[in-house]
Amino acid sequence: MRCDSRETNVTDFLPKITFLLPEMQRPFEVMLFALVAASGFTPVCVLEFCTYTDSAEPPNAVMCRWNQSVWGLPRDLDRFRVSCKKLMEAFPIDEGKGNHARPVKNCIFSKSTPTPLKGPLRLAATSKEVIEGILDLDVAVTRSDGFLHYASGGRLLPGSVPLAHRYGGHQFGHWAGQLGDGRAHSLGQYTNRKGEVWELQLKGSGKTPYSRSGDGRAVIRSSVREFLGSEAMHFLGVPTSRAASLIVSDEPVVRDQFYNGNVKTERGAVVLRLANSWFRIGSLEILSESGEIDLLRKLLIFVIGEHFPSIRPDDPDKYLAFYSTVVNETARLIARWTSVGFAHGVCNTDNFSLLSVTLDYGPFGFMESYSPHFVPNTSDDEGRYAVGAQAAAGLFNLQKLATALGPVLSERQQSEARDSLRGYVDIYRKRIHQLFKAKLGLLGDEEDDGYLIAFLLKMMEETHSDFTMTFRHLSEASFQQLLNRNFTQLWALEDLASYKLFPDWLRMYQLRLLRQQNDGDSERQHRMKRENPRYVLRNWMAESAIRKAEKNDFSEVALLHHILTLPFITQETAEKAGYAERPPSWAERLQVSCSS
């Protein structure tokens, strides 16, 4: 039985999560863009270019480790094993043969063999932190010919039975039916020396039964973005899938990048990526929509048992507890996205992880000039997934998850699930407020903190101030500089200061800081620098690296990757590259679409 027709309507919540504050006795009405700082990151120094200009050492990183290997890690891929046993024993496997597109029923996975890339293969990028820290391999293994083939689908790792996952999804608000891994192959699970279980997957590795009319390939431009985007997000402290390597080829791949009839030939590439699980909301939706309720229960029991240890398997409310957890963690994930100005671009249910980690890096983008209406995806004509609308998208997706769970929930449990969903807005709003205060270095709680945040964001929107650098420059400015309004070399604050009421806001902010007990200026600056990155993967930076990569020059991909592993630390190489300067004029003309 599905959730009844009284299910919570998204529009009931929209007034609560739009960014207009209630009426206040203030000079003007302000808009609150719901953002917070991501707290609690653990940066690891893996830079090749270890030159820091900050006085403080990188947290938890006292030396450059890029050129150091963990002693004793294997360099022989033939000794590296994955296992598909647990997944294959837990679920029925599609009995169909071949990779031709077809409707699939009564299974979670289809066996599907990757199609090797054609032409000379080149290693464009690799993540030492993933190779050594997660996969327990010496990074030197990536320089072998064998790695090129294993990481691009040309050979199968020992123990691998490649699988393509069947799922469905709501895309831009409409049920799209069967979707699935149309160009991805799961190679198996690997349990590392820390006891972590990671599922390895190739993206761009050829057709599967879920390819529909696609060719199963990915191109260099989208693969560079996937590799850099997922690794950058990890080091920003945002839960995400990871990327181990990027292999490029000379195989021609035809794409109409902007769906305007301008077809061109690009080159194929494959990303080796990892996640603790690739199950998503659409994994459950397809089973519920197809009436495969026994399989729905089986998948839920598996996911809960593997990934939700706090939920007892004999708990009669285990599905409800699972749902409440996903509601809570999804709210927190989207808050962390927005805290760094990240717009996913395609917030469909088939792209939302059941483990609340960021999946599927397509037409994403980081805001430059602050605007809650920022849309990175040119295919999103209506702005459904604008950065300021992601919270509403999350709410919609959680509604659809509740609907999918309906057949395994009693009427009481369905009612309690709706209660959990109603709590989503408060979870999100509290997380926004709490973490956004951290971006401003505020300690304790004061009644006007929300207004102070909203006032700032209103000014930023009106002045088109740079999102990342405004907060970073507030972190770097001393109290005396703020007092004197001395913003030399702090270009983002110069822009912000052009707003007529900026002196009023600055005075409020200074007084708020002065009321903080036992908090020195250097401590405040240090705390804020840990919350506000100096470098994010702006579209123009990725585009510059892509243009070189398409000519087999991967130097800028490597440079960006290294710099983005320490986004909170000022780095000389990044400064020379202009990564903290005003975006170049040509950046405004860049467009990103779903075509990849």
Side-chain angles (χ1 to χ4, degrees), residues 114-125 148-149 151-154 183-185 201-207 215-227 245-255 265-273 546 549-550 552 554 557 596:
T115 304
L117 283 173
K118 299 175 183 177
L121 302 179
R122 299 174 179 86
L123 179 66
L148 286 177
H149 294 285
S152 63
R183 55 175 173 172
H185 293 82
Q201 188 178 87
L202 299 177
K203 182 175 180 180
S205 46
K207 288 185 178 182
D215 58 15
R217 290 305 190 199
V219 296
I220 290 176
R221 57 181 163 82
S222 63
S223 300
V224 167
R225 288 170 55 82
E226 169 104 18
F227 178 87
S245 65
L246 167 61
I247 309 294
V248 304
S249 76
D250 287 343
E251 180 174 333
V253 178
V254 177
R255 290 289 183 268
T265 300
E266 303 184 54
R267 291 161 55 203
V270 171
V271 174
L272 173 58
R273 59 185 193 171
I546 288 165
E550 289 177 332
N552 293 331
F554 309 119
V557 174
S596 58

Side-chain angles (χ1 to χ4, degrees), residues 401-420:
L401 176 59
T403 302
L405 295 177
V408 301
L409 299 178
S410 67
E411 289 188 11
R412 173 189 62 81
Q413 290 170 332
Q414 290 182 37
S415 176
E416 292 186 25
R418 289 192 290 273
D419 289 341
S420 293

Side-chain angles (χ1 to χ4, degrees), residues 51 53-54 469 472-473 476 489 491 534-535 559 563 569-581:
T51 303
T53 57
D54 284 356
M469 292 310 295
R472 180 66 186 196
H473 283 163
E476 296 173 350
Q489 297 183 331
W491 57 267
R534 188 166 174 87
Y535 316 109
L559 175 65
I563 286 168
I569 304 299
T570 302
Q571 301 166 51
E572 184 177 329
T573 50
E575 298 303 300
K576 287 181 179 178
Y579 292 157
E581 296 300 316

Side-chain angles (χ1 to χ4, degrees), residues 41 43 47 49-54 58 228-229 231-238 339-342 366-368 439 466-473 475-476 491 528-542 559-582:
F41 65 97
L47 290 175
F49 312 97
C50 293
T51 303
Y52 311 119
T53 57
D54 284 356
L228 291 175
E231 289 302 282
M233 288 283 274
H234 168 73
F235 287 100
L236 286 169
V238 182
S339 75
V340 291
F342 174 81
F366 287 85
M367 270 193 302
E368 294 193 1
K439 289 182 77 70
D466 188 271
F467 175 77
T468 299
M469 292 310 295
T470 296
F471 286 101
R472 180 66 186 196
H473 283 163
S475 308
E476 296 173 350
W491 57 267
M528 289 176 67
K529 287 178 184 179
R530 290 173 60 94
E531 302 291 346
N532 296 303
R534 188 166 174 87
Y535 316 109
V536 295
L537 183 60
R538 299 170 185 263
N539 272 343
W540 72 266
M541 293 158 60
L559 175 65
L560 272 174
H561 178 223
H562 299 330
I563 286 168
L564 293 170
T565 58
L566 281 175
F568 299 91
I569 304 299
T570 302
Q571 301 166 51
E572 184 177 329
T573 50
E575 298 303 300
K576 287 181 179 178
Y579 292 157
E581 296 300 316
R582 293 184 188 274

Side-chain angles (χ1 to χ4, degrees), residues 127-196:
S127 170
K128 177 184 171 73
E129 209 253 3
V130 172
I131 296 294
E132 294 192 343
I134 296 178
L135 297 181
D136 302 330
L137 291 167
D138 191 310
V139 73
V141 79
T142 63
R143 296 192 286 270
S144 69
D145 185 65
F147 183 83
L148 286 177
H149 294 285
Y150 283 125
S152 63
R155 296 181 197 167
L156 293 182
L157 291 166
S160 177
V161 180
L163 302 171
H165 176 37
R166 171 190 174 221
Y167 54 83
H170 280 81
Q171 298 191 325
F172 290 89
H174 303 284
W175 175 245
Q178 176 181 295
L179 298 169
D181 288 334
R183 55 175 173 172
H185 293 82
S186 288
L187 302 179
Q189 295 177 317
Y190 175 71
T191 303
N192 66 19
R193 65 186 186 273
K194 293 177 280 190
E196 302 166 338

Side-chain angles (χ1 to χ4, degrees), residues 2 34 37 54 72 85 120 198 425 552:
R2 310 218 174 209
D54 284 356
K85 183 177 179 181
W198 291 85
V425 172
N552 293 331

Side-chain angles (χ1 to χ4, degrees), residues 18-58:
T18 53
F19 309 113
L20 280 173
L21 287 179
E23 289 289 337
M24 297 181 180
Q25 301 301 315
R26 301 289 184 181
F28 56 88
E29 198 175 53
V30 292
M31 295 186 72
L32 173 58
F33 176 37
L35 298 174
V36 288
S39 66
F41 65 97
T42 308
V44 180
C45 178
V46 295
L47 290 175
E48 186 175 18
F49 312 97
C50 293
T51 303
Y52 311 119
T53 57
D54 284 356
S55 57
E57 290 179 328

